[in-house]
Amino acid sequence: MENLDATIITTGLPTMARDFHVAPVSMNVGITAYLLTLAVFIPLSGWMADRFGERKIFASAVLVFTIASVFCGLSRTLPHFLIARVLQGVGGSMMVPVGRLMVIRSVTKSQLLHAIAYTIWPALTAPILGPVVGGYIIHVASWPWMFFLNLPIGLVLFVVSLSIVRDSPKDAIAPLDVSGFFLVGITCLLLLLGLEQLQQSSESARGLLAICMAGVFLLLSRRHLRRSPRPLFH
């Protein structure tokens, strides 16, 4: 569901732009905002799962993602859609990494390769299926249904996750490495933003600058994580 949403809207952008009364190229901000939100908050997901429990974080992330999907479908202006996409990105940033973390923690070493394969194949197939599914929905219905599609899936997943997910045993939880979160988050944000800018030839200088700045913050992140007694991650 999360990986599908990253690409499903591409075929619907011209129709959405017409309804929002903006140029089609302006709709790219909906994809960019979603991906940037993922980049910033994914590094926090592991600590959140340890601090509050996988069950609570995963179920909450599913609920946030599902509600945000409804808001996306109900949006009638580009700013409203942008806010909904950011909220959707917050849910997605916790949903997928914590889901994979739950799987890895619940299997034995001999089952690990199979478990990782099962969690990776949706990420490989969903970006391919996204434009196809989006195009079909635009053809037979309208663009809001690209997002309303998540409602029944999300509600079922929310109920099932509360029913079967159990928190794994854990030791004492270290305080949040706030500096590490900001450094790594800014690194990911600048890197993704730079790559996005490089797709547009007119923005290549800004893209290269963002990637260079990402490199600087990467070195700062590495230095901090190696020296911190309780780093955000190893």
Side-chain angles (χ1 to χ4, degrees):
M1 185 169 63
E2 188 271 338
N3 286 289
L4 191 67
D5 254 57
T7 56
I8 194 173
I9 73 169
T10 54
T11 51
L13 291 181
T15 305
M16 296 170 67
R18 183 189 63 208
D19 290 349
F20 291 165
H21 305 292
V22 297
V25 69
S26 301
M27 294 302 304
N28 286 333
V29 70
I31 299 176
T32 304
Y34 179 75
L35 295 176
L36 292 180
T37 306
L38 290 178
V40 171
F41 286 99
I42 279 178
L44 189 61
S45 59
W47 183 86
M48 292 283 289
D50 289 338
R51 176 65 177 82
F52 300 103
E54 296 100 328
R55 179 174 181 266
K56 185 180 295 183
I57 294 300
F58 183 74
S60 299
V62 169
L63 188 61
V64 169
F65 188 90
T66 304
I67 293 173
S69 297
V70 175
F71 287 160
C72 286
L74 295 176
S75 299
R76 290 298 174 263
T77 65
L78 183 56
H80 292 163
F81 178 69
L82 181 60
I83 293 172
R85 286 291 280 178
V86 170
L87 183 61
Q88 202 178 30
V90 172
S93 68
M94 299 291 164
M95 186 167 62
V96 174
V98 173
R100 290 176 179 171
L101 187 64
M102 293 188 309
V103 172
I104 291 173
R105 287 179 174 176
S106 64
V107 299
T108 62
K109 287 186 177 180
S110 61
Q111 298 171 322
L112 190 59
L113 285 178
H114 279 293
I116 291 175
Y118 277 119
T119 59
I120 286 179
W121 74 259
L124 300 177
T125 57
I128 300 173
L129 293 176
V132 178
V133 175
Y136 179 76
I137 291 175
I138 291 294
H139 180 68
V140 301
S142 57
W143 67 263
W145 287 99
M146 293 190 297
F147 301 101
F148 294 156
L149 178 69
N150 293 330
L151 182 57
I153 301 173
L155 291 178
V156 170
L157 183 57
F158 177 72
V159 173
V160 171
S161 62
L162 289 178
S163 302
I164 69 173
V165 174
R166 296 291 178 266
D167 293 331
S168 58
K170 52 183 69 71
D171 300 324
I173 306 302
L176 174 63
D177 178 14
V178 179
S179 298
F181 167 62
F182 278 109
L183 288 171
V184 174
I186 292 174
T187 301
C188 296
L189 178 69
L190 288 171
L191 178 60
L192 194 57
L193 186 61
L195 294 174
E196 178 71 18
Q197 296 285 340
L198 285 179
Q199 291 183 356
Q200 309 171 30
S201 58
S202 60
E203 303 290 346
S204 58
R206 293 183 183 180
L208 291 173
L209 178 60
I211 290 177
C212 291
M213 292 177 63
V216 173
F217 276 94
L218 176 62
L219 294 176
L220 294 174
S221 300
R222 179 180 181 275
R223 179 182 179 185
H224 169 79
L225 293 173
R226 287 175 64 88
R227 294 185 175 186
S228 174
R230 297 183 179 90
L232 183 66
F233 45 76
H234 198 284

